[in-house]
Amino acid sequence: MLLDQCEQGGVELRLGHAASEIGHADGMFQHGAWRALGLGAEIVIATGGPSIPKMGATALRMTSRGDSGEADRTTPGAGPADPGRRRRVVRDLSGVATEVVASAGQGRFREAALFTHRGLSGPAILQVSSYWRHGEAVVIDFLPDRDAGWLIAEKRVRPRATLRSILGQALPDRLAER
């Protein structure tokens, strides 16, 4: 489908060439060996990200702006959340999944979160990671269907109930226990 759309739009694909010299003059992008050819007013360079060099990904887009003087702001792709020094707590919950609402920036996702031996992952975390910016908080609501005062109300109804047993009604057992 992508190739069909490219063909309909007059897109010329140049595959298998190192994108090492990009220039911009007279409103046209140019590329090293093809400098005599104007490649167009717009150019897409799919280099991947520098995080996976063994796949041929490079930091070219981050370091090469050509003569246009413009560079796109780069952001990391979707990824899991690393709890840093709290990793031991998370590791103990490895394999536990639960529905959450994860929020960061303008992104808000109600999906599953999965505890792994390295952090939090799952659809909610991977999606919200695209909206997270360094220094900002990621907010994860592990009880999205509960009102703010539900725990106090439940304790009034069941004064002898333990916190673990009350949380166990709303969370997976290992998470409620932790």
Side-chain angles (χ1 to χ4, degrees):
M1 187 177 356
L2 176 61
L3 293 175
D4 289 343
Q5 291 292 313
C6 287
E7 186 177 329
Q8 290 174 17
V11 172
E12 183 178 343
L13 298 177
R14 301 211 180 201
L15 308 173
H17 297 278
S20 57
E21 297 178 29
I22 300 166
H24 189 263
D26 300 324
M28 299 293 275
F29 283 95
Q30 301 168 336
H31 176 274
W34 311 310
R35 197 162 296 282
L37 299 173
L39 295 181
E42 296 180 347
I43 186 170
V44 175
I45 303 170
T47 63
S51 61
I52 312 177
K54 67 182 174 186
M55 291 182 62
T58 71
L60 174 70
R61 184 60 190 122
M62 296 179 200
T63 59
S64 175
R65 297 185 318 180
D67 296 331
S68 69
E70 297 178 17
D72 295 334
R73 190 178 95 228
T74 60
T75 58
D82 182 349
R85 65 181 178 266
R86 294 185 183 97
R87 186 171 287 146
R88 187 181 112 299
V89 173
V90 173
R91 190 178 309 130
D92 293 345
L93 294 170
S94 183
V96 172
T98 189
E99 187 171 308
V100 302
V101 172
S103 305
Q106 298 297 314
R108 185 174 191 275
F109 299 94
R110 184 183 185 122
E111 296 278 350
L114 171 67
F115 287 90
T116 71
H117 67 286
R118 299 183 71 186
L120 272 173
S121 192
I125 305 306
L126 294 174
Q127 289 183 70
V128 82
S129 71
S130 296
Y131 290 83
W132 175 80
R133 299 293 173 256
H134 183 72
E136 293 181 356
V138 173
V139 177
I140 303 173
D141 183 352
F142 283 91
L143 299 164
D145 295 324
R146 307 291 176 158
D147 295 328
W150 80 273
L151 193 57
I152 294 170
E154 188 66 29
K155 188 66 175 168
R156 284 187 184 130
V157 172
R158 300 173 41 207
R160 295 184 155 225
T162 64
L163 177 60
R164 196 253 167 252
S165 68
I166 293 172
L167 287 175
Q169 296 173 14
L171 297 170
D173 288 339
R174 285 184 17 209
L175 182 56
E177 186 176 323
R178 175 50 87 177

